[in-house]
Amino acid sequence: MYQVVPGGAGGTITDGMPIKKIDKDSRPLVGAGVIGVILVIAAVTAWCYYIASLRKADLLKTELLDLNKDGFLIRNQAGGIVLKMGFRSGTLDLDSCSKEGVIIRCSRSFAGKVNFFIMTVKPKETVMCYRVRWEELESDRPVEHAMSYNESHWYGGAETAVQHWPIAILGQQAPKPFVTSDVYSNRHDFGGILERYWLSSNATAIKINDSVPFHLGWNDTEKTMYFQARYQDSPYKPAPGRPPYAELSYRVCVGPDVTSIHKVMVRRYFPKPNKVPAKEMFWHPIWSTWSLHKTDINQEKLLTYAENIRKHGFNCSHLELDDRYTSQYGEFEFDTQKFPNASAMFQKLKADGFLVSLWTHPFVNYDSTNFGPCVQKGLFVMEPTGQLPALVKWWNGIGGILDFTNSEARNWFMSQLRSLRHKYGVSSFKFDAGETNYLPWQFRTRVHLPDPSTFTRRYTEMAIPFNERAELRSGYSSQNISCFFRPIDRDSVWGYELGLKSLIPTVLTISILGYQFILPDMIGGNAYPNRTDGNGKLPDRELYIRWLELSAFMPSMQFSIPPWEYDDEVVAIAQRFTELHETLVAPRVIELAGEVLDTGDPIIRPLWWIATSDETAYRVDSQFLIGDDLMVAPVLEPGKQERDIYLPAGRWKSYKGERFDNKEPIHLTDYPVDLDEIAYFEWVQ
């Protein structure tokens, strides 16, 4: 402290005692005193800052989350760090932060005003959740957070063309729109079945809010996934009347183990089906015309196909008449050149015990007789001004795409399907397409779509009246559509890019996203030219057999290329595995399907579902569980009649009658599996 002395420079002292001048011998003592005073001031100041920093540190902690200006980290109950999230688009001004109960709020970043908060929620004693939100309030700059995944394994997100389990993050990708797409045509996009949900092996789950204009990117060098919200250069649009200010909001939940936290997330945040599809779809194979005949299908070929199914002693849930039974795309009447007497054909098939479903899609080509009336009625998705229909290109031509946010378009489309059902007794429909990549980059719909993938949801709703035997290939927030969902077309190859090896990772991914009634596409793949291992017309014989064996352990089986196209041995193998599906697999699957309505738990489960503490189980992508008590290990390599098998701890009985009572997981190396076999193990009570 210092003393105020009356007077000023050059002034005079008007009262008080005269000040005595300090002699030379006293000056060192005065200097030491001044230094002492300064040190005391510095110490007090440092102590004040220290106390303030402790208060700020305490302020920026909530339960097991620590917040700093550059991001936050979350720990589990044991104190281990399970998630690190960095703020890439800006840093918080911590002086603007405050804590009120379970909420930390901040009002500024170093770039301007923001609405940031983290709220702690504890839905169960063993689960801690955090609601995170960063909203820009002054500009349209993007909001981007970076999640470090390090050594943990992650699952979920979307169907992809090259599917791995767990997710394999390769290369660098700037954030791009996280919307549904046809990954057969666009191999580097996200797939037709997609949800904003990820799950990690360290018992952490993330769910991005529906309101976010969400873009996803990654960097395998930095071991990072980028979560970005933006409206610039994006198909997302803000709600009418709202400025294009980005908001990134999501939930992070941490639990005791990966299975437990997934169950919590599914029960809290996923819609669930309200009924189970027709049991016949679980019991008996579906027979499609597509892979065998492609568009070269007609009345005679369909009747012959049905006749051969019965001739070779196979059961049939229903026949699926695929593309192309109409003369133009967008019409709903049979081409009389190819089907001269469709009514008699349906009567014949019904008399022989066959139900029939038909292929359909959301497009009306410009050369269809329905194109003009649909334009006049305003049933199509429009270009941005709303004056003209937006023409789109799809794999069968150019036309309009029906606007399923428009009740008139929905009613028109539904009336066409109901007319086919009434006229011919059609049992159901295969709903193809529905992905957002078939929408124009700029478009207008009757009801505003902030998120383009909502269009996928509206399309899937068209299947509800036909859910008993309906089939969909796209889905977004569509888990409550009680239909079978099919992954995108598979190529007739062995590998991970839409081949046999991709099947288990894809089914597991779709299951984790909440879609449990899964139709794993056609046995042997689609036999497309230049994308088929084999003689060019038929898939490789060994590939077909291994595909058949795997499909027998899926919720439903689907043939197109029939086994009699090969030889009697393949027919015999097919007969044996369809019977095994009916006797061993279907009863379990139907029981589990009933449980899905209440729990949402997967029917097809990863091995870590029952082995949450085993690191190896998190990496196995060629085995799976049906429920908790049937483990399947197919052969997925050409020329192999053996494979390595991971057997979780427990009491198991193999399909050969061998018994294993292992208290720890074991590996069966080079376990023999003949060409006409698939390895499976049942839990012994």
Side-chain angles (χ1 to χ4, degrees):
M1 300 292 292
Y2 59 91
Q3 180 183 8
V4 177
V5 180
T12 59
I13 299 172
T14 57
D15 58 7
M17 295 294 293
I19 298 176
K20 183 180 178 181
K21 293 185 67 175
I22 300 173
D23 58 36
K24 293 182 178 180
D25 294 337
S26 302
R27 288 176 182 175
L29 295 175
V30 173
V34 171
I35 293 173
V37 169
I38 293 172
L39 290 175
V40 170
I41 294 172
V44 171
T45 303
W47 176 257
C48 291
Y49 275 109
Y50 175 67
I51 295 299
S53 67
L54 289 179
R55 290 174 178 170
K56 180 61 70 176
D58 182 63
L59 171 70
L60 300 182
K61 289 179 180 287
T62 175
E63 296 294 342
L64 301 173
L65 182 146
D66 297 347
L67 174 68
N68 60 56
K69 64 183 180 64
D70 298 314
F72 62 86
L73 61 84
I74 298 175
R75 305 176 190 274
N76 58 21
Q77 295 289 347
I81 297 175
V82 294
L83 185 132
K84 291 182 180 179
M85 190 74 77
F87 302 147
R88 280 175 58 87
S89 55
T91 56
L92 286 175
D93 179 356
L94 298 185
D95 289 333
S96 74
C97 299
S98 63
K99 185 176 181 182
E100 303 169 10
V102 296
I103 302 177
I104 296 175
R105 295 184 184 277
C106 304
S107 59
R108 292 192 309 274
S109 72
F110 286 102
K113 290 183 179 180
V114 299
N115 175 17
F116 175 87
F117 74 78
I118 296 178
M119 178 179 180
T120 305
V121 180
K122 197 168 186 179
K124 293 182 65 178
E125 186 62 32
T126 57
V127 175
M128 192 70 70
C129 294
Y130 305 91
R131 292 178 54 198
V132 182
R133 174 172 174 158
W134 182 309
E135 180 183 14
E136 291 290 339
L137 298 179
E138 291 186 330
S139 76
D140 59 356
R141 59 180 171 264
V143 180
E144 186 173 324
H145 293 178
M147 183 189 73
S148 300
Y149 56 86
N150 295 327
E151 302 304 318
S152 57
H153 306 294
W154 285 85
Y155 313 90
E159 174 189 12
T160 55
V162 180
Q163 197 89 50
H164 291 284
W165 180 270
I167 296 170
I169 297 177
L170 303 173
Q172 290 81 43
Q173 172 63 56
K176 62 181 181 179
F178 192 70
V179 294
T180 61
S181 182
D182 174 356
V183 290
Y184 195 87
S185 301
N186 305 284
R187 299 279 170 123
H188 298 291
D189 285 355
F190 305 112
I193 299 176
L194 167 150
E195 299 294 334
R196 302 169 168 202
Y197 173 71
W198 288 268
L199 177 71
S200 86
S201 57
N202 58 18
T204 304
I206 295 180
K207 180 77 167 61
I208 309 294
N209 287 356
D210 294 342
S211 59
V212 175
F214 182 55
H215 299 68
L216 179 67
W218 55 84
N219 186 315
D220 67 345
T221 303
E222 299 176 357
K223 305 294 183 185
T224 301
M225 293 173 65
Y226 304 136
F227 299 156
Q228 186 191 75
R230 76 168 192 263
Y231 288 110
Q232 311 98 307
D233 188 30
S234 171
Y236 295 99
K237 304 300 174 190
R242 293 196 60 182
Y245 294 169
E247 168 215 327
L248 180 61
S249 56
Y250 50 91
R251 293 169 172 83
V252 181
C253 292
V254 181
D257 61 74
V258 62
T259 302
S260 298
I261 194 62
H262 178 66
K263 288 183 176 183
V264 169
M265 298 299 287
V266 168
R267 284 154 178 73
R268 287 178 66 86
Y269 302 121
F270 285 6
K272 298 170 190 63
N274 55 25
K275 61 177 68 174
V276 176
K279 290 184 178 180
E280 289 79 8
M281 286 192 70
F282 297 97
W283 287 106
H284 305 313
I286 300 160
W287 296 79
S288 169
T289 62
W290 175 247
S291 293
L292 181 63
H293 293 297
K294 303 296 190 296
T295 59
D296 188 26
I297 185 65
N298 58 38
Q299 182 171 325
E300 180 182 358
K301 289 179 179 178
L302 180 61
L303 290 172
T304 300
Y305 191 49
E307 180 183 338
N308 282 328
I309 293 171
R310 290 288 185 250
K311 175 182 174 182
H312 290 90
F314 288 96
N315 290 318
C316 176
S317 166
H318 59 270
L319 285 172
E320 193 171 80
L321 177 54
D322 212 295
D323 184 12
R324 154 181 193 177
Y325 57 89
T326 61
S327 58
Q328 303 295 339
Y329 293 107
E331 298 180 1
F332 295 85
E333 190 49 80
F334 280 85
D335 181 349
T336 56
Q337 297 295 316
K338 302 174 74 174
F339 296 87
N341 195 337
S343 295
M345 178 187 73
F346 273 92
Q347 291 172 5
K348 166 66 173 169
L349 291 169
K350 182 179 180 180
D352 291 340
F354 288 98
L355 297 176
V356 181
S357 69
L358 298 179
W359 175 75
T360 192
H361 53 84
F363 308 103
V364 179
N365 279 9
Y366 70 90
D367 55 357
S368 165
T369 57
N370 283 322
F371 184 80
C374 286
V375 171
Q376 293 176 353
K377 295 175 182 178
L379 304 186
F380 291 136
V381 172
M382 307 297 282
E383 47 81 44
T385 67
Q387 300 299 310
L388 295 171
L391 292 181
V392 299
K393 184 177 181 180
W394 62 297
W395 67 90
N396 277 328
I398 297 174
I401 184 169
L402 292 167
D403 178 3
F404 292 103
T405 74
N406 180 350
S407 60
E408 295 177 11
R410 293 164 69 94
N411 291 339
W412 180 84
F413 184 66
M414 189 60 63
S415 69
Q416 306 301 319
L417 302 186
R418 285 177 173 152
S419 176
L420 286 167
R421 169 179 272 187
H422 177 74
K423 186 173 183 178
Y424 299 109
V426 172
S427 65
S428 192
F429 296 90
K430 171 185 176 178
F431 292 83
D432 216 347
E435 300 91 350
T436 63
N437 69 290
Y438 292 111
L439 294 170
W441 183 254
Q442 298 291 332
F443 63 90
R444 176 180 290 188
T445 49
R446 180 67 59 89
V447 176
H448 180 72
L449 292 179
D451 179 356
S453 292
T454 306
F455 181 86
T456 298
R457 163 70 196 190
R458 295 291 169 260
Y459 178 59
T460 62
E461 291 170 353
M462 304 308 296
I464 292 175
F466 311 100
N467 77 286
E468 286 283 304
R469 285 181 167 81
E471 172 189 327
L472 289 157
R473 85 167 196 191
S474 57
Y476 177 70
S477 297
S478 305
Q479 297 95 333
N480 62 336
I481 308 294
S482 304
C483 301
F484 270 85
F485 285 81
R486 173 181 65 86
I488 197 67
D489 299 13
R490 303 288 110 174
D491 286 329
S492 299
V493 297
W494 288 91
Y496 284 104
E497 184 173 343
L498 298 178
L500 178 60
K501 285 185 180 179
S502 73
L503 202 55
I504 294 174
T506 301
V507 170
L508 289 173
T509 298
I510 293 172
S511 295
I512 287 298
L513 298 179
Y515 297 87
Q516 310 309 342
F517 308 140
I518 300 173
L519 182 63
D521 204 31
M522 302 165 196
I523 292 168
N526 285 261
Y528 292 127
N530 303 320
R531 290 178 175 175
T532 298
D533 291 341
N535 62 16
K537 178 182 179 183
L538 292 176
D540 174 73
R541 181 179 184 272
E542 181 188 7
L543 173 68
Y544 183 89
I545 292 171
R546 292 305 192 191
W547 207 306
L548 162 65
E549 293 164 352
L550 172 55
S551 293
F553 285 82
M554 289 289 160
S556 186
M557 299 180 70
Q558 186 177 43
F559 285 100
S560 184
I561 294 174
W564 53 85
E565 287 289 311
Y566 292 92
D567 51 52
D568 291 343
E569 182 185 11
V570 176
V571 172
I573 293 172
Q575 290 169 336
R576 184 153 55 84
F577 274 93
T578 53
E579 181 180 356
L580 183 65
H581 177 85
E582 293 175 9
T583 57
L584 176 67
V585 178
R588 278 180 166 83
V589 169
I590 291 173
E591 180 181 355
L592 293 165
E595 297 175 6
V596 167
L597 309 186
D598 297 321
T599 67
D601 289 346
I603 294 173
I604 304 298
R605 300 173 182 177
L607 294 195
W608 52 250
W609 193 266
I610 62 170
T612 58
S613 61
D614 188 353
E615 171 65 21
T616 301
Y618 290 108
R619 302 193 303 269
V620 176
D621 69 348
S622 62
Q623 299 174 222
F624 60 93
L625 296 163
I626 301 175
D628 290 344
D629 60 359
L630 180 58
M631 194 272 289
V632 187
V635 173
L636 305 175
E637 298 278 355
K640 296 286 187 180
Q641 296 199 25
E642 69 282 326
R643 65 156 292 164
D644 295 343
I645 295 175
Y646 165 87
L647 199 60
R651 301 176 65 188
W652 299 93
K653 179 182 177 182
S654 79
Y655 70 105
K656 299 177 180 180
E658 305 154 310
R659 291 182 178 270
F660 301 87
D661 189 357
N662 46 303
K663 295 182 180 179
E664 298 291 335
I666 62 173
H667 286 85
L668 306 177
T669 306
D670 293 332
Y671 188 83
V673 186
D674 291 342
L675 180 60
D676 62 346
E677 294 179 333
I678 185 172
Y680 63 91
F681 300 76
E682 296 180 79
W683 181 271
V684 179
Q685 295 295 335

